[in-house]
Amino acid sequence: MALRGALSRLSHSSRHFNHTYQQSRAHSVAVLGAPFSKGQKKRGVEHGPKVIRDAGLMERLSNFDFSVHDFGDLNFQHLEEDEPYMDVKFPRTVGAANKKLSAAVRNAVSAGHTLLMLGGDHSLAVGSVSGHAQHSPDLCLIWVDAHADINTPMTSPSGNLHGQPVAFMLKELQDKMPDIPGFSWTKPFLSSRDLVYIGLRDVDPGEYQFLKSFGIQYFTMRDIDRLGIQRVMEVTFDHLLARKQRPIHLSFDIDAFDPSLAPATGTPVNGGLTYREGIYIAEEIHNTGLLSVMDMVEVNPDLGASPEAVEATATLAVDVIASSLGQTREGAHTSMDEIPPGKNDTELRL
C-alpha cells in the first residue's frame, strides 16, 4: 500500500488508535542470545549479546513487574566447507543457524513468553520471524532499519545474507528466490501487506523495485521528517492492526539510529533516527499490548572507535528494549498497592 493511500484512509479516530486496542502486557519475558556473524563479513557482531547484557539489560528488566528468564546463548556450528552459492556467502552455515533459532523462538513463544532475541547480524531474522510465525501465523512485522534487507541473491550487490532475510519470508517473492543450500527447512509465510518498514535511507535498486511492485508500506527518513514520528506510528498501526488485533514482531537493527548515537555497528548510514524518535517507536509498540517477539541486532563492539562508543551503542540498545517492554520517560515503576505513610502520620495515629 502506498503511503498516500494509507493516509487517505486514516480516520480522525485512528489518531488515538493506540489507546483502543491495548491487550494484556507481557507477564513473562525470555531473553535469548544469538551470537552469530556469518550473515555478513565483519567480525565482532557475534559479541552483540554479551555487550548488550553487559550494558545492564537484565538489571533494567528486573525493574518491571513481569518475570524475566535468561535462556543464555545458542551455540552455532560453523561449517568448514560452505562454498558460496550464486555469490551468497556461507549459505549452509546461515541456514543451519536460523533453523536452530527458529525452533528456539517457536518453543519460547509457545511457552507463553514474550521473547527478546539478541543478535548477532540481521540474517537471524529469518529464523526469529519464521519461528514466531509457526506459533502465530497471523503475526505482523515492523522492521526498523536503515536498510530494507529484501534483496534476493540476484539483486544483492554483496551476497551477504544479512541483506536478504525479508526475501525468504515474503510469499510474493517465492518465485524470485532460488533454492539456496541450507534453507530447505523454511518456506515463505508473510504477505507484503503484513510488513511495515521504518527508518529506511539506504535501499538498493532491486529492493526499491520490490517495495514499489508489492505495495509494501515503508517510511524513509524523509517521510519521518515530513510527517513526524507520531504520524508514522499512527499510519503503521492503521495499516497493520485496523483489520484485526494480532501479534507484533519487532525487528530492530541498531543502525536505524544515526551513527552519532550508534557508532558500533557494521553498516552505519548518516541521517538516521534521533534518540527520541527511536524510543517513541518502541513506546508506541509497547502501548499496543501486542508485542510478542523483538529482535535487537547488529551491535558490533569490534567496530566502536573507543570503549565509550561501544558502551553508547549497547546502552542505546538496552534503552530501546526497555521502552518496548514498558519503560516510559516518566520512569519504569513497579506497582504499589498503597503509598507508605510518613513518620509523622504514624505518630499521629499513636
Side-chain angles (χ1 to χ4, degrees), residues 52-111:
I52 294 173
R53 285 192 175 97
D54 289 347
L57 174 65
M58 303 311 293
E59 291 84 355
R60 188 83 66 90
L61 297 184
S62 69
N63 293 326
F64 293 96
D65 283 336
F66 49 72
S67 60
V68 181
H69 307 270
D70 191 347
F71 288 175
D73 291 351
L74 293 174
N75 292 315
F76 297 114
Q77 180 182 7
H78 298 281
L79 304 177
E80 292 184 8
E81 295 185 7
D82 193 359
E83 294 299 316
Y85 179 82
M86 296 181 63
D87 202 37
V88 173
K89 312 297 193 300
F90 308 111
R92 299 161 190 84
T93 299
V94 177
N98 275 285
K99 182 179 181 180
K100 187 170 190 176
L101 176 60
S102 177
V105 171
R106 181 191 66 237
N107 292 339
V109 177
S110 298

Side-chain angles (χ1 to χ4, degrees), residues 110-121:
S110 298
H113 302 297
T114 297
L115 180 67
L116 169 61
M117 189 278 285
L118 306 176
D121 70 64

Side-chain angles (χ1 to χ4, degrees), residues 187-239:
K187 303 298 179 187
F189 53 85
L190 190 73
S191 297
S192 59
R193 66 177 179 273
D194 300 323
L195 166 66
V196 173
Y197 286 102
I198 301 174
L200 297 182
R201 57 192 185 279
D202 185 11
V203 178
D204 294 322
E207 294 180 308
Y208 182 79
Q209 184 63 36
F210 294 146
L211 295 177
K212 291 297 185 181
S213 297
F214 303 141
I216 295 172
Q217 178 69 76
Y218 66 91
F219 298 95
T220 65
M221 286 308 305
R222 185 178 188 279
D223 294 323
I224 294 173
D225 290 342
R226 181 167 58 92
L227 298 169
I229 196 63
Q230 177 183 0
R231 190 68 158 173
V232 164
M233 296 311 296
E234 287 172 351
V235 178
T236 293
F237 295 142
D238 182 63
H239 179 79

Side-chain angles (χ1 to χ4, degrees), residues 151-166:
N151 273 305
T152 68
M154 290 74 74
T155 66
S156 172
S158 69
N160 294 329
L161 281 167
H162 77 156
Q164 304 178 46
V166 180

Side-chain angles (χ1 to χ4, degrees), residues 12 21 25 28 76 89 176 220 254 266 272 285 312 315:
H12 175 77
Y21 53 74
R25 297 293 192 263
S28 177
F76 297 114
K89 312 297 193 300
K176 304 269 193 308
T220 65
I254 201 68
I285 290 172
T315 301

